[in-house]
Amino acid sequence: MLRQNLSLIANARHLTAAATGLLAAISPAQAQTMVQVGIVNTISDAGFYVAESKGYFRQEGLDVKFTAFNSAARMIAPLGAGQLDVGGGTVSAGLYNAVGRDIKIKIVADKGSIAPGYAFSALMVRKDLVDSGKYKSFKDLKGMKVAIGAAGTGTASALNEALKRGGLSYGDVEIIDLAFPQHMAAYTNKGIDASVTNEPTVTLSARAGVAVRVAGNDEIYPNQQTAVVLYSEEFMKSRPEAALKFMRAYIKGVRDYNDALRDGKMDGPNADEIISILTQTTEIKDRDIYRQISPNACNPDGTVNIDSLKKDLAFFKEQKLIEKDGISADSVVDHSFVQKVVQELGPYKRKAK
């Protein structure tokens, strides 16, 4: 009887241990923190996509929910209201105006930039104008119909830099606001003469023979800060631990993305893996397109180019697009999260070939 009782006790202990182990395995999933993230569903979201696909967010105990928006401008109100924790997209006059209206958001990390050799954005001119000699240099842009993505954005500032190289001012051309994917059709219909266009439309338009890439933005406006990661102030102040965990996972994703880059192309040691992730998550499903385009750069140590932000803000002010005096680029940037992450992880080191 004693032996039987001891056996029952031992079995009970085994069952208790197994149950404890099972609960331990289940509890992290139950304890995951929800993070609501706005995306624009382009290659500049690569850091988010890679971090999600490779499980970096889950490793941090985060349950990340993505919501697609047509532009970063549409994320501003939900970020200010705390309906989104994280957002990202182009830096615009609208962002500074939102801050001027006391909407609590901050730029916290790089999401896309123009590094030497990585001209994700470029000045294009209609092919027949190049072939005929009507366009030979920047000064020949005068009087042309030039498309940009939208007024008060970084592409408008980049166009301004191109015009200055030709001794022209922003008012010397007719500006057409047109979504980047529509630029190719506009060239085909001769609705525009030139444009500042993003990939993959740059490559697709050149391949179709309707436009010529005359200068990359790495030449026109080197190191321009084109896209950023935004945090709501509520996320930063009420859940700083989750905000730091998100940044840690994001930076890991960005570093994997950087490992896929080489010589201005997506041709690094892990390019196949990153291209597979992007074809699954973005609207570009053709793997060859990723091999052909000039991908955007993204700082693997996270910080943004404040000098570029200041330059663009000065242009927005010249265009009288900023509603309130006293707004500065420094006031909208908070590098504290990326600085903590890089201190933990160490500076980025590219993977060997």
Side-chain angles (χ1 to χ4, degrees), residues 152-210:
T153 63
T155 52
S157 184
L159 172 59
N160 187 53
E161 293 302 307
L163 292 168
K164 287 194 291 185
R165 286 173 177 260
L168 305 174
S169 67
Y170 200 68
D172 284 327
V173 296
E174 181 182 345
I175 303 297
I176 308 292
D177 292 346
L178 197 63
F180 297 123
Q182 296 174 21
H183 289 196
M184 183 172 167
Y187 277 123
T188 303
N189 299 330
K190 296 189 177 181
I192 59 174
D193 304 313
S195 67
V196 176
T197 304
N198 283 359
E199 293 282 19
T201 308
V202 172
T203 295
L204 294 174
S205 297
R207 195 165 69 177
V210 296

Side-chain angles (χ1 to χ4, degrees), residues 288-308:
D288 290 338
I289 292 293
Y290 284 107
R291 292 287 188 183
Q292 294 168 18
I293 66 172
S294 179
N296 66 276
C298 190
N299 186 353
D301 290 331
T303 54
V304 300
N305 186 332
I306 294 182
D307 287 340
S308 170

Side-chain angles (χ1 to χ4, degrees), residues 238-283:
S238 299
R239 296 189 289 157
E241 186 177 347
L244 182 61
K245 288 179 176 180
F246 184 93
M247 187 61 69
R248 187 183 297 116
Y250 171 72
I251 292 298
K252 288 179 180 179
V254 167
R255 290 183 172 190
D256 285 349
Y257 170 77
N258 271 265
D259 289 337
L261 306 181
R262 182 168 58 196
D263 299 330
K265 296 292 182 182
M266 200 165 285
D267 192 34
N270 65 333
D272 284 340
E273 177 189 24
I274 301 305
I275 289 172
S276 291
I277 291 172
L278 293 175
T279 54
Q280 292 168 20
T281 51
T282 71
E283 295 179 355

Side-chain angles (χ1 to χ4, degrees), residues 15 17 28 40 83 105 123 187 202 214 235 257 270 309 315 326 328:
L15 288 170
V40 288
Q83 296 166 346
I105 51 178
L123 175 66
Y187 277 123
V202 172
V214 298
F235 185 50
Y257 170 77
N270 65 333
L309 296 180
F315 169 71
S328 70

